[in-house]
Amino acid sequence: MESTFKEIGDRQSVLDLDPKSAVGGGVEDVYGEDRATEDQLVTPWTFSVASGYSLLRDPQYNKGLAFTEKERDAHYLRGLLPPIILSQQLQEKKLMQNIRQYQVPLQKYISLMELQERNERLFYKLLIDNVEELLPVVYTPTVGEACQKYGSIFKRPQGLYISLKEKGKILEVLKNWPERTIQAIVVTDGERILGLGDLGCQGMGIPVGKLSLYTALGGLRPSACLPITIDVGTNNEQLLKNEFYIGLRQRRATGKEYYELLHEFMSAVKQNYGEKVLIQFEDFANHNAFELLAKYRTTHLVFNDDIQGTASVVLAGVVAALKLVGGALAEQKFLFLGAGEAGTGIAELIALEISKQTKAPLEETRKKIWLVDSKGLIVSSRKDSLQNFKKPWAHEHEPVKDLLDAVKVMKPTILIGSSGVGKTFTKEVVEALSSCNDKPIIMALSNPTSQSECTAEEAYTWSKGRAIFASGSPFDPVEYNGKTYVPGQSNNAYIFPGFGLGLIISGAIRVHDEMLLAASEALASQVTKENFDKGLIYPPFSTIRKISAHIAANVAAKAYELGVATRLPRPKDLVKYAENCMYTPVYRNYR
């Protein structure tokens, strides 16, 4: 098909383009901004043409000292700025120097959030060009501390806050958001923020951070992204007593009251933004996360990053690790510490992939996977007392009381931690795993760093340098016996930005498990021989936009194959199409 991102003649205005030739599945680029080439003129529209002081206060169009002489005259900026003109590259260099002077990660986070509120394009330029350095700042582990202190560092609201006070009026609240066309929503109720527990309304840092990554890593337009926090109270006593807490001061609503509010929200989103808006559930407690995903996956375009995103990125890491270890996926024995959203989600996707490869029934492939929770190994004799999402993993076996005994008895080849409890992969556990494997695969996934089941140094030291290790939060390279080991980071940011882009460019209306498998395969295929030689099972984040484009193409291809894509006809080259659809934060020239 002919690309809607075709070259435009030198004299043609982007406003002359057909406004309906938009990215499939979502937003019409009414003003042609994202289809303009970098040297074409665009108009800084708000509700009227922004100019003067209001233009400098509009983060979408503000360029700071990068406004040209011509732009300063045309938009009444004379005298409002110092006379010097700086390029975006020089602005970026200055800001990175300033950020690097901060010793405390939270200070860096606050500085970046202030930049985002002041100059959107410069913020994303910084993040894209310095992704490996800044990712731990705008997301895990620093975002965890930011959420804990959100009330104290809160300056300007970002996103929408929907509380019990808005029950019956949620559609009106959605209409208060200034952008009318939205492609992606990340929503949390703040009950299980990373491994930090119930942070209530202060969980807003998570949707804000995730959507920043959707733009920087996946290329979604910032104006098409909407962070939302649903405030139903908190059971965190410290927050309820904190005079700076920004949420409802009441215990959490549960049961009918909770689900009625969520149902009103889901219905209002669909009514206001249409069938093809992606709703990503983030950091809901286990009991709600599974129920909400099961309830709405057949009626909405929904995705739970904790269950599905984590599963996809871990499966990709396992597939890549087996290229170092040898052997097929179906020949492995998996042992998990943690049987919540992440643990059971990962286990299910691994079982699905084994079933796909071997044509064996899913019930059979699940038997290769064992889970340990706070009461020990999940076995069939415990079935009556288990939550529903744990029951498929209750296999026939004698009870085993703890992880160490489970490792000794089960002799797994792959150990995966998603418990949210730090220091649980002890020296004894790692040594027991190493005693039955030449190259034990250890994935300590819990976030933030303080909750990681073990550190990279511990894994390499206790396994005598034989472990293949990946973690949820980043660790520095480790030197052991004269050799440097570079730990992998099993970060969901590898998957969800590209996954979301793939749904949007195909106009998908539902998420299927096969799409998650397609995303995993695409990510695993991006690990090069050079990466393997360093012991890495994930590619470097420096190439994340290229990775996201390949993931998006694979996901979109699967959407077309399954018949849930609505953007027709299908683009011939999906990778190139995904790259063309990506937002770029380079400054535009204003007429």
Side-chain angles (χ1 to χ4, degrees):
M1 65 174 276
E2 185 181 6
S3 173
T4 58
F5 297 86
K6 62 187 177 183
E7 292 296 321
I8 308 166
D10 290 340
R11 306 298 299 171
Q12 189 178 1
S13 164
V14 293
L15 293 178
D16 295 331
L17 289 168
D18 174 13
K20 294 190 179 298
S21 55
V23 174
V27 177
E28 292 182 5
D29 183 15
V30 177
Y31 302 116
E33 178 192 347
D34 290 318
R35 284 170 291 139
T37 57
E38 288 170 14
D39 58 348
Q40 283 174 330
L41 301 176
V42 296
T43 301
W45 289 93
T46 51
F47 290 102
S48 58
V49 178
S51 63
Y53 194 77
S54 65
L55 179 55
L56 295 177
R57 293 297 182 271
D58 188 332
Q60 190 172 354
Y61 296 109
N62 178 31
K63 300 196 289 186
L65 292 175
F67 283 106
T68 65
E69 298 284 0
K70 187 176 177 183
E71 288 169 337
R72 294 181 189 208
D73 284 331
H75 292 283
Y76 308 100
L77 297 173
R78 286 287 172 195
L80 300 180
L81 291 166
I84 193 70
I85 296 172
L86 298 183
S87 66
Q88 191 177 22
Q89 290 71 27
L90 201 56
Q91 287 179 313
E92 182 181 353
K93 181 180 178 181
K94 182 185 77 169
L95 280 165
M96 283 307 298
Q97 279 185 354
N98 292 344
I99 287 167
R100 286 169 181 148
Q101 286 176 3
Y102 291 119
Q103 299 301 311
V104 179
L106 186 61
Q107 291 176 323
K108 296 183 179 183
Y109 174 89
I110 292 169
S111 177
L112 283 167
M113 290 304 103
E114 288 173 347
L115 175 62
Q116 187 180 21
E117 293 169 5
R118 181 172 79 244
N119 185 332
E120 193 174 81
R121 285 186 179 272
L122 188 55
F123 168 77
Y124 286 112
K125 188 80 166 62
L126 238 70
L127 190 48
I128 291 167
D129 292 349
N130 304 276
V131 63
E132 291 181 301
E133 182 177 351
L134 296 182
L135 186 64
V137 178
V138 297
Y139 205 63
T140 182
T142 309
V143 74
E145 184 184 0
C147 287
Q148 288 176 310
K149 299 174 180 176
Y150 209 76
S152 299
I153 65 175
F154 179 86
K155 292 179 181 177
R156 289 179 60 187
Q158 295 173 288
L160 276 179
Y161 294 85
I162 297 173
S163 74
L164 290 168
K165 291 180 179 180
E166 281 72 59
K167 190 172 183 183
K169 298 182 287 188
I170 293 179
L171 184 59
E172 294 173 39
V173 173
L174 292 178
K175 291 181 185 296
N176 288 342
W177 187 248
E179 302 295 341
R180 292 290 173 258
T181 42
I182 297 297
Q183 287 178 319
I185 290 171
V186 175
V187 59
T188 186
D189 71 352
E191 189 168 3
R192 193 200 60 83
I193 298 297
L194 302 175
L196 303 171
D198 186 351
L199 298 183
C201 193
Q202 298 190 166
M204 179 57 98
I206 298 295
V208 169
K210 287 272 178 174
L211 286 167
S212 296
L213 300 186
Y214 260 119
T215 296
L217 314 186
L220 271 65
R221 185 160 60 251
S223 61
C225 299
L226 175 55
I228 296 179
T229 291
I230 294 180
D231 186 1
V232 294
T234 178
N235 294 336
N236 186 322
E237 292 295 338
Q238 284 185 311
L239 290 180
L240 290 172
K241 293 173 184 175
N242 187 331
E243 62 179 328
F244 300 124
Y245 179 56
I246 60 174
L248 289 178
R249 293 181 184 276
Q250 65 174 64
R251 307 284 294 179
R252 272 189 178 274
T254 56
K256 184 181 178 184
E257 186 180 14
Y258 177 86
Y259 284 108
E260 281 180 353
L261 188 74
L262 265 293
H263 187 70
E264 184 188 346
F265 166 73
M266 295 298 290
S267 302
V269 165
K270 194 170 183 179
Q271 183 178 343
N272 202 44
Y273 299 122
E275 183 89 3
K276 290 173 278 190
V277 62
L278 171 62
I279 305 169
Q280 179 171 313
F281 295 124
E282 196 67 40
D283 287 353
F284 285 76
N286 288 342
H287 53 284
N288 292 326
F290 286 103
E291 189 155 339
L292 290 170
L293 185 60
K295 182 174 181 179
Y296 293 109
R297 69 185 305 174
T298 57
T299 58
H300 292 67
L301 183 67
V302 294
F303 170 68
N304 186 306
D305 192 43
D306 304 304
I307 299 171
Q308 297 165 296
T310 302
S312 189
V313 76
V314 172
L315 174 59
V318 169
V319 169
L322 291 180
K323 293 179 182 176
L324 287 171
V325 174
L329 191 66
E331 296 167 356
Q332 310 307 310
K333 183 180 280 189
F334 297 83
L335 182 64
F336 284 74
L337 177 64
E341 293 172 59
T344 55
I346 299 163
E348 184 71 5
L349 200 66
I350 289 171
L352 277 168
E353 180 66 12
I354 295 172
S355 176
K356 178 185 167 187
Q357 290 180 7
T358 62
K359 311 299 183 197
L362 187 60
E363 291 73 18
E364 285 300 310
T365 60
R366 282 176 178 152
K367 292 177 182 176
K368 298 179 181 294
I369 302 167
W370 296 82
L371 277 68
V372 173
D373 64 8
S374 58
K375 295 180 174 60
L377 192 68
I378 294 178
V379 292
S380 54
S381 59
R382 292 178 52 196
K383 208 162 190 175
D384 291 342
S385 64
L386 291 173
Q387 294 163 285
N388 286 333
F389 61 85
K390 293 183 182 181
K391 288 181 179 179
W393 310 103
H395 310 315
E396 286 292 335
H397 198 280
E398 292 295 313
V400 178
K401 63 178 182 177
D402 59 28
L403 178 64
L404 178 58
D405 289 342
V407 171
K408 290 176 178 177
V409 171
M410 307 308 302
K411 294 182 169 48
T413 55
I414 300 172
L415 179 63
I416 298 174
S418 61
S419 62
V421 182
K423 306 297 181 187
T424 41
F425 289 176
T426 61
K427 184 180 180 184
E428 291 77 16
V429 166
V430 173
E431 286 177 345
L433 184 70
S434 303
S435 69
C436 55
N437 294 284
D438 289 335
K439 291 183 177 179
I441 298 172
I442 301 172
M443 305 184 86
L445 304 177
S446 294
N447 291 315
T449 313
S450 59
Q451 305 303 111
S452 185
E453 284 77 10
C454 69
T455 67
E457 185 176 5
E458 289 167 345
Y460 292 125
T461 303
W462 295 338
S463 67
K464 296 182 169 54
R466 291 188 285 127
I468 295 168
F469 177 80
S471 57
S473 288
F475 284 102
D476 292 330
V478 174
E479 194 165 311
Y480 177 79
N481 276 357
K483 184 178 178 182
T484 300
Y485 296 84
V486 183
Q489 188 185 358
S490 183
N491 191 320
N492 291 19
Y494 276 116
I495 288 287
F496 72 81
F499 187 82
L501 179 63
L503 296 175
I504 288 163
I505 65 173
S506 63
I509 56 171
R510 299 288 179 269
V511 171
H512 289 266
D513 288 335
E514 289 92 332
M515 296 177 182
L516 299 168
L517 296 178
S520 295
E521 290 162 9
L523 176 56
S525 72
Q526 294 299 303
V527 187
T528 64
K529 184 180 184 301
E530 184 185 351
N531 302 146
F532 284 130
D533 290 344
K534 294 178 182 176
L536 287 169
I537 57 174
Y538 292 102
F541 261 110
S542 57
T543 60
I544 186 61
R545 281 205 148 201
K546 173 175 168 280
I547 295 164
S548 291
H550 280 85
I551 291 171
N554 243 31
V555 170
K558 186 58 70 173
Y560 282 107
E561 183 186 319
L562 295 171
V564 295
T566 61
R567 177 166 181 81
L568 300 171
R570 167 182 166 159
K572 288 181 182 177
D573 187 337
L574 283 168
V575 175
K576 188 175 181 181
Y577 183 64
E579 289 172 344
N580 286 342
C581 289
M582 285 183 168
Y583 165 89
T584 55
V586 176
Y587 286 151
R588 304 299 172 82
N589 295 319
Y590 300 149
R591 58 172 59 78

